[in-house]
Amino acid sequence: MTTNSTRANPVPTPPVAVPHDVATAVEPYRIDVPDAALDDLRDRLTRTRWITEVPGTGWQHGVPSDYLRELVDHWAHEYDWRAAQARLNALPQFTTTIDGQRIYFLHVRSPHPGALPLVLTHGWPSSPAEFLDVIGPLTDPGAHGGDPADAFDLVIPALPGFGFSSPLSGPGWSSDRTARAWAELMRRLGYARYGLQGGDFGALVSPEVGRVDPEHVVGVHVNAASAGFIPWGPVPEDELAALTDLERDRVRRLGDFLSGGNAYFQVHANMPQTIGYALDDSPVALLAWMVDKFAAWTHTASGLPEDAVDRDAMLTAVSTYWLTGTGGSAARMYYENMHATPDWGRAPSATPVGVIAFAEDYAIRGYGEKSHVITHWTDVDHGGHFAALEEPELLVADVRTFFRTVRDRRLG
C-alpha cells in the first residue's frame, strides 16, 4: 500500500502576514505533487492485474476491460498532471481550518467593482477543477461577451475529505455540517452578502447554507439536484398523472437509477471504509469506480463519457482523488448524510432558489417547491450531471439570469 511519502503533500506558501488568530488563519496555498507520487502512479498503472471479462457483456456488467485498458494507457503515458496542476496554481488558492477541518479553496476576485460573491460547490466524483472553464466568464463577463453587471467574485472550496480538503478531522462531516462551514468561510473572507451554486453534493450543501445563514445569502442556484427536489418512494397514480411528460420520464429514470444504478451509493452510505481500501490502494479501481459514473451520468449518444467531457478533465478529477488519497474519505459524506438525524420539523427555506435541470437530471419543480422557494426554473433537453464540464456556456447563462433577480435582494 502506498505510504504518505509518495502521495501529494502540497506545501502552502507562507502567509503574507502573521495572522492574529492562527485558528482562523486563511493561508495562501500552492499544489506541489512530488515526482515520486507521479512515478508511483505510473508504476501501479503498468502493473495492473486485469480481470477476466465475460465475452459480449459490454457495459452491462460495468466498465469494459478494453475501454478501461485504453484509458489506463492514456493516464499512464499521455495525461499530464503537471499541466492541470499549473492551471490550478495560476489561480489564487488558500487553506483554512473550520470546525477542526482543513478546507482548501480557490478565491478568484472579479476585476469589476460591485461583483457578487458566489460559492461554487462540486459533487462526487468531482473537484474544484470542474469549474475551471466557467471561472473567466463568471468573474469577467465583459471579456467573454457578457455584461460586467453580471460579475461574480468566486469562492470554490473542496468538500471536506475531498482532494486537498483532507485529511478528515473526524466523523460527522455531512452536507449540513459542511453548509455551516461554508457560512463561516464566507464570514471569514469578509463577505456580508453572497450567493451559492452547486451540483450533486453541491445541490445539497448550497440550499442548506441558505437555511443556516439567511441573513447573508441572497440566493441559491443548483443543478444535478436530488434530495429535496425529487420524490421519495413510489409516486401514486393520481400524482403521476398530474405531472408533465418530461416529469413522468424523470420519475421513470429515477426509478431505474434506484433499482439498478445506485449500487455505488449503497456501498458509500454503508461501507465507505471497506471500499476505501480499494479506492486508495489501486488507481485502476479508483478510475473504474469513477469513470462508470462519468459514463452513466453524462449525456451522450455513444455512451462514452469523453464524448461529453474532455478525457483529460475526467482524469484530472480522478488524479486529484488518487494523489491526495481521498477516494475513501470522499465516500464518507454519503455515510454521514444517510446516518444523520433528520430534522423533519423545520420550516421551508425562504431563500430564493433557481434550478437548471439538464437531460440527465431528475429534479421536478413540484417536489422542490415543498421545501424551497423556487423563483427560477430551466429545463434543458441535453447536458448531464457535470454541467460545468459538459455545458459551461448554458450553466453560466442560467446562473447570470437567476442572480440578476436577487442581486439587490434586501436581507435581514
Side-chain angles (χ1 to χ4, degrees), residues 188-353:
R188 198 169 291 185
L189 294 177
Y191 289 126
R193 302 175 76 256
Y194 62 96
L196 301 106
Q197 199 287 325
D200 189 79
F201 273 133
L204 291 177
V205 173
S206 300
E208 188 62 23
V209 182
R211 288 181 182 277
V212 301
D213 197 20
E215 63 271 26
H216 299 114
V217 176
V218 300
V220 174
H221 183 278
V222 297
N223 65 283
S226 56
F229 296 87
I230 58 175
W232 288 111
V235 178
E237 286 299 325
D238 58 338
E239 192 172 302
L240 195 63
L243 301 178
T244 67
D245 290 343
L246 175 64
E247 292 169 339
R248 280 193 291 272
D249 184 63
R250 287 181 180 165
V251 171
R252 178 193 60 77
R253 291 191 296 105
L254 176 61
D256 292 343
F257 168 76
L258 293 174
S259 64
N262 74 335
Y264 80 96
F265 184 104
Q266 295 300 328
V267 172
H268 286 191
N270 293 285
M271 298 183 294
Q273 184 151 314
T274 300
I275 190 63
Y277 293 114
L279 302 182
D280 287 351
D281 188 60
S282 168
V284 173
L286 179 70
L287 178 63
W289 195 248
M290 292 186 171
V291 79
D292 183 78
K293 296 309 157 200
F294 275 98
W297 297 344
T298 50
H299 188 63
T300 68
S302 67
L304 298 178
E306 58 262 47
D307 288 345
V309 174
D310 180 78
R311 178 177 281 192
D312 283 357
M314 187 165 57
L315 287 173
T316 292
V318 179
S319 296
T320 298
Y321 286 81
W322 173 258
L323 293 169
T324 56
T326 55
S329 63
R332 292 180 185 271
M333 183 170 276
Y334 290 84
Y335 180 94
E336 300 296 351
N337 281 348
M338 293 303 291
H339 291 80
T341 302
D343 184 4
W344 302 114
R346 64 183 181 179
S349 172
T351 301
V353 172

Side-chain angles (χ1 to χ4, degrees), residues 31-71:
I31 301 170
D32 185 17
V33 172
D35 287 339
L38 300 177
D39 292 341
D40 176 71
L41 170 58
R42 281 188 290 269
D43 179 64
R44 287 170 180 261
L45 292 173
T46 58
R47 292 189 296 107
T48 300
R49 186 169 73 172
W50 293 97
I51 66 170
T52 301
E53 187 174 52
V54 177
T57 55
W59 286 83
Q60 294 175 341
H61 293 184
V63 183
S65 177
D66 58 350
Y67 174 81
L68 196 63
R69 283 175 183 267
E70 180 186 349
L71 195 56

Side-chain angles (χ1 to χ4, degrees), residues 349-367:
S349 172
T351 301
V353 172
V355 180
I356 183 167
F358 289 92
E360 296 296 323
D361 294 341
Y362 306 120
I364 297 173
R365 182 164 188 161
Y367 295 104

